[in-house]
Amino acid sequence: MRAILPRLGIRARILAGFGALIAISLGVAGFGVLETQSLGRQISRLDHAALQNDRLATAQQVLDQAAARVLRFRLAPDAAAGEELTALLTRFRTLIQEATDQALEPERRASRKEVAKAAQTYADSLDRLTGLGQAIITERTQLIGGGDALTAASARLSTALRTGDDPSGGALADAIDHDVLMVRIIGWRFLATLEHTGPTRFEAATETALRALDGAAEAASHQGIPIEPVRTALADFGSHFDAAAEALLQSELVWTNEAEPQMQAMTGRLGEIRLSTRERFAATRLTTARSSARAALVQSGLAAFGLLAGVVLALTIGRSISRPVVAMTAAMQKLAGGDRAIVVPALDRQDEIGGMARAVEVFKAGAIAAERMAGEQQAAQAAREARSQKLIELTGRFQASAGQMVGTVAEAAGTMESAARSLSATAGQTSTGSAAAAET
């Protein structure tokens, strides 16, 4: 990086730094998005597992309620209980179907389909059980009416026997009342307890009552005693008992051989599915917690890495700019202070700082040239001043020599003038002498 940065301009360097920070931030954000999506999928699976667990728990509750309603219906069949049972089974199948549709894995979907199929079979068995229950209700209602009719006919017969002329009529009446009452008691006891010997005992009690009626008919044949209505009522009561007993026995067989094993198997299978779902929910929750912790740790690490990378980039880029600028400032200060021997730094850089360094180098060269020119000018000025001084000295010497010569010449001229005057005087004297001599 130290070899690359000097080749880049300051603007490019700053932009590259910002670009690197943005890239790091985008990388951290992208990883965060991926981790968030992964965590979101984990949470979605967790929610799905929780929803499946709740749905299966609700189905288990509905199944338990249905089992309780079945027991209630078996003990006391009625239309309301049958409708409630049908509604519970419908809801149970709906919940299982929803769980099947929402299952993600094929094996889980297959297990729920097994429960749904078992629920359908169980519902079919309960439909038969409900139908038999409705038959039991009908026959039981008829049996109540037949019992009342039998009691009424027996009472009329007993009254006739007791008020008749036959001294044995009272005993016959007591026997008939007892036998008819035993028929009703044995019949209702079987309907209440479902004793296996109930039908046989009912048949024996009916035979006993018929024999008592036959004995009363022989004893009171000429008195017009109403025996046939009792026979008819007893036969009608017996037929309704047989129908009710048949429906009860069939219902017991359907429950024992079909419905109860199916319910137990379905409950067991549903329990296995619920256990598997709870285990999956716990595993998914643990995985989600670990993923969340790992995502938080990785995000913290990436954030720390991004911060550290930002600090490193800022320091690296800042130093790559500040250090040359500081060195350049020091060089310019020394250059401004008159130090022309400095070495300008960063001349080989290709960025703005290199341009500044080359400009300072030009300034340095110009300053050196200016100093050289100033020195040359000072030297020339000194030479001129020396020449001027020498001329002044020569002129002074010349003037002094010339003055001396002039004085000498003047003195010589005075001497010559004196000599001339002396010669002139001499010549005048000579001329005068000559003239006198001539005259003489």
Side-chain angles (χ1 to χ4, degrees):
M1 183 176 289
R2 292 181 179 179
I4 297 175
L5 287 178
R7 301 178 184 177
L8 300 176
I10 294 177
R11 180 180 179 184
R13 206 174 305 170
I14 294 174
L15 291 177
F18 278 113
L21 289 177
I22 292 173
I24 293 173
S25 300
L26 289 177
V28 172
F31 185 82
V33 169
L34 293 177
E35 286 295 321
T36 302
Q37 291 177 349
S38 176
L39 188 60
R41 288 191 293 270
Q42 291 286 346
I43 294 175
S44 177
R45 285 193 290 270
L46 183 64
D47 291 340
H48 181 270
L51 181 61
Q52 287 285 75
N53 190 37
D54 292 342
R55 185 178 287 114
L56 291 174
T58 303
Q60 182 66 60
Q61 293 176 358
V62 172
L63 186 60
D64 293 340
Q65 293 175 3
R69 295 302 185 277
V70 169
L71 294 176
R72 172 187 165 188
F73 185 81
R74 291 181 63 241
L75 293 175
D78 59 67
E83 292 176 358
E84 186 177 0
L85 181 59
T86 302
L88 287 172
L89 287 176
T90 301
R91 186 184 178 194
F92 176 77
R93 283 181 291 183
T94 300
L95 290 171
I96 294 299
Q97 186 61 47
E98 290 177 353
T100 302
D101 295 338
Q102 295 297 325
L104 300 178
E105 296 83 358
E107 60 275 10
R108 297 182 184 277
R109 191 178 298 111
S111 64
R112 286 156 178 76
K113 284 183 179 180
E114 291 178 5
V115 176
K117 185 177 179 180
Q120 182 61 50
T121 304
Y122 180 62
D124 294 339
S125 298
L126 290 184
D127 286 341
R128 290 195 298 274
L129 196 64
T130 304
L132 291 171
Q134 293 298 329
I136 294 171
I137 293 171
T138 302
E139 295 302 329
R140 183 176 291 177
T141 303
Q142 296 293 330
L143 195 61
I144 292 173
D148 292 340
L150 179 59
T151 300
S154 177
R156 287 193 297 272
L157 176 61
S158 178
T159 301
L161 289 173
R162 293 179 190 282
T163 58
D165 297 335
D166 189 350
S168 62
L172 291 173
D174 290 340
I176 291 172
D177 288 342
H178 175 270
D179 293 340
V180 169
L181 181 60
M182 288 302 297
V183 168
R184 294 193 65 186
I185 290 174
I186 292 172
W188 285 109
R189 181 177 178 179
F190 171 75
L191 295 178
T193 62
L194 292 180
E195 293 179 344
H196 295 295
T197 60
T200 302
R201 293 180 61 191
F202 180 84
E203 184 178 358
T206 302
E207 292 293 335
T208 301
L210 288 174
R211 286 195 298 270
L213 290 175
D214 291 339
E218 291 177 359
S221 57
H222 60 283
Q223 297 181 8
I225 300 300
I227 295 177
E228 289 304 321
V230 178
R231 291 180 184 277
T232 301
L234 186 60
D236 184 62
F237 185 80
S239 65
H240 290 305
F241 172 81
D242 291 340
E246 179 66 21
L248 280 170
L249 292 175
Q250 287 294 328
S251 175
E252 184 68 14
L253 289 175
V254 170
W255 170 252
T256 304
N257 298 332
E258 298 181 21
E260 186 178 21
Q262 291 168 359
M263 183 188 69
Q264 292 176 352
M266 185 168 53
T267 302
R269 185 56 177 156
L270 185 60
E272 294 175 359
I273 293 174
R274 286 192 61 197
L275 178 61
S276 175
T277 303
R278 286 195 298 268
E279 291 175 351
R280 177 172 175 266
F281 175 76
T284 304
R285 182 171 57 185
L286 180 61
T287 302
T288 302
R290 289 177 177 174
S291 298
S292 178
R294 181 175 59 85
L297 180 62
V298 173
Q299 287 285 6
S300 300
L302 288 177
F305 171 75
L307 179 61
L308 180 62
V311 171
V312 171
L313 283 173
L315 291 176
T316 302
I317 295 175
R319 288 181 178 180
S320 69
I321 296 173
S322 64
R323 285 183 175 180
V325 170
V326 171
M328 189 67 61
T329 301
M332 292 177 68
Q333 289 176 347
K334 291 180 179 180
L335 184 61
D339 186 0
R340 302 296 185 261
I342 62 168
V343 178
V344 179
L347 287 173
D348 58 341
R349 297 174 68 100
Q350 302 301 318
D351 56 0
E352 291 85 347
I353 296 176
M356 292 173 59
R358 287 185 285 275
V360 172
E361 182 67 21
V362 172
F363 177 75
K364 172 187 172 184
I368 293 173
E371 287 183 352
R372 185 176 62 253
M373 291 178 63
E376 292 176 353
Q377 289 176 357
Q378 289 178 359
Q381 181 67 26
R384 285 195 297 271
E385 290 178 354
R387 286 195 300 271
S388 298
Q389 185 66 31
K390 189 173 182 179
L391 288 174
I392 291 171
E393 291 177 356
L394 292 174
T395 301
R397 290 176 183 175
F398 176 76
Q399 287 178 352
S401 178
Q404 186 178 3
M405 291 177 65
V406 169
T408 302
V409 171
E411 183 179 356
T415 300
M416 290 178 69
E417 185 179 359
S418 295
R421 288 177 181 174
S422 176
L423 289 175
S424 177
T426 302
Q429 291 175 359
T430 302
S431 177
T432 301
S434 294
E439 289 178 358
T440 62

